[in-house]
Amino acid sequence: MNTQESGTHEEKYDMSGARLALTLCVTKAREGSEVDLEALEGMFQYLGFKSIMKRDPTAQQFQEEMKKFQQVIDGWEEPVSCAFVVLMAHGDEGLLEGEDGEMVRLDDLFQVLNNRNCQALRAKPKVFIVQACRGEHRDLGETVGGDEVVMIADDSPQTIPTYTDTLHVYSTVEGYIAYRHDEEGSCFIQTLVKVFKDRKGSILELLTEVTRRMANKELLQEGRMRKVNPEIASTLRKRLYLQ
């Protein structure tokens, strides 16, 4: 059965074209970052992405590298199906800290690839993965917890909004810190890579599994057990399958 023509199935993104990935990572004073970079490189290779990795960008270079990536995508010789951007650094809510200690706004980085600014990615999936603190709060966990499923309606208008087809995946929720092991890397990146390589399903299904696994973990920090979970914000209009 052709799922594109059936009203009983959700439409899928066409992933037959090029897959491009950019990773910008501040390793300075972030022990364990190299382990995460190695894991990400293996994941992108496994999933068929052409991957670019840049270490220790300044705040200005975060912006410059994003612009270069947009130009690479728009100049690609074949159709581009999907782009991944991984941003790893110290941070605060809505901000990333460059190698120089200056801050760059996440929204300024995200908008470089939106449907207005990157023509080759118009109506194509754009996935941003952010491994960074989003505040100073620490989660000790609660005795009883649950999860929430967000249903996203599919629509196929003649024109599309500027900010659709984008998925933002944060290593922690708003206002909270993110954790990273000096030798084993970050729980978030390592869990995400393992799930993306070992499991099949739509990307939102995979991210639900990442959240489930992270929610089950206990992280020891400052002599106390902590809890952490990622946060996902999606404007995807179709299912996105990487395998």
Side-chain angles (χ1 to χ4, degrees), residues 214-228:
M214 289 185 64
N216 287 338
K217 292 181 182 294
E218 298 280 353
L219 304 176
L220 181 63
Q221 197 251 358
E222 297 175 343
R224 301 187 68 178
M225 302 308 296
R226 311 285 187 181
K227 304 293 289 188
V228 66

Side-chain angles (χ1 to χ4, degrees), residues 7 18 21 24 33 35 38 58 67 71 85 89-90 92 101 109 115 117 124-125 145 164 181 183 191 223 227 231 241:
L24 301 176
S33 298
V35 181
E38 183 178 350
T58 63
K67 183 61 179 177
Q71 293 170 346
V85 175
H90 292 302
D92 206 334
L109 303 181
N115 289 329
N117 295 326
K124 310 286 182 66
T164 58
H181 192 277
E183 297 176 359
T191 304
K227 304 293 289 188
E231 184 172 37
Y241 290 91

Side-chain angles (χ1 to χ4, degrees), residues 23-35:
T23 301
L24 301 176
C25 177
V26 175
T27 63
K28 179 181 177 182
R30 297 186 68 252
E31 290 77 7
S33 298
E34 291 293 341
V35 181

Side-chain angles (χ1 to χ4, degrees), residues 8-231:
T8 61
H9 291 79
E10 285 195 74
E11 204 175 353
K12 295 186 294 186
Y13 287 103
D14 178 3
M15 293 294 287
S16 62
R19 305 175 180 199
L20 306 179
L22 172 68
T23 301
L24 301 176
C25 177
V26 175
T27 63
K28 179 181 177 182
R30 297 186 68 252
E31 290 77 7
S33 298
E34 291 293 341
V35 181
D36 286 344
L37 287 172
E38 183 178 350
L40 286 166
E41 185 62 35
M43 180 188 78
F44 285 133
Q45 184 175 359
Y46 180 77
L47 296 175
F49 280 77
K50 304 285 187 184
S51 174
I52 302 169
M53 289 197 169
K54 300 289 185 180
R55 289 170 171 80
D56 295 319
T58 63
Q60 181 177 342
Q61 287 169 341
F62 266 107
Q63 192 76 47
E64 292 172 350
E65 293 296 337
M66 283 296 302
K67 183 61 179 177
K68 288 179 186 176
F69 189 50
Q70 176 261 315
Q71 293 170 346
V72 166
I73 294 169
D74 275 337
W76 203 256
E77 64 275 12
E78 61 177 307
V80 177
S81 284
C82 176
F84 264 63
V85 175
V86 183
L87 305 169
M88 299 193 290
H90 292 302
D92 206 334
E93 182 55 35
L95 301 169
L96 286 183
E97 182 179 318
E99 189 273 341
D100 56 349
E102 297 297 314
M103 292 293 192
V104 61
R105 294 177 67 247
L106 278 170
D107 282 346
D108 290 342
L109 303 181
F110 295 157
Q111 72 176 4
V112 176
L113 300 185
N114 69 27
N115 289 329
R116 177 184 296 123
N117 295 326
C118 188
Q119 186 171 352
L121 282 179
R122 194 165 292 168
K124 310 286 182 66
K126 301 159 277 285
V127 180
F128 293 90
I129 297 172
V130 182
Q131 166 61 38
C133 291
R134 302 178 70 193
E136 297 295 331
H137 294 302
R138 292 160 173 79
D139 188 358
L140 300 177
E142 303 293 342
T143 303
V144 178
D147 52 41
E148 198 174 295
V149 178
V150 179
M151 300 301 293
I152 301 165
D154 183 27
D155 196 10
S156 301
Q158 294 302 309
T159 60
I160 59 172
T162 302
Y163 302 103
T164 58
D165 308 287
T166 302
L167 181 62
H168 297 101
V169 187
Y170 299 93
S171 58
T172 188
V173 296
E174 182 177 346
Y176 282 76
I177 69 170
Y179 297 98
R180 176 177 25 81
H181 192 277
D182 290 353
E183 297 176 359
E184 298 175 4
S186 64
C187 174
F188 170 62
I189 293 295
Q190 296 298 321
T191 304
L192 182 143
V193 166
K194 184 169 181 57
V195 170
F196 276 31
K197 291 176 70 174
D198 294 349
R199 301 284 289 254
K200 288 182 171 60
S202 73
I203 194 167
L204 290 177
E205 291 170 326
L206 297 181
L207 288 169
T208 299
E209 176 63 14
V210 172
T211 302
R212 185 192 69 80
R213 294 188 186 189
M214 289 185 64
N216 287 338
K217 292 181 182 294
E218 298 280 353
L219 304 176
L220 181 63
Q221 197 251 358
E222 297 175 343
R224 301 187 68 178
M225 302 308 296
R226 311 285 187 181
K227 304 293 289 188
V228 66
N229 63 275
E231 184 172 37

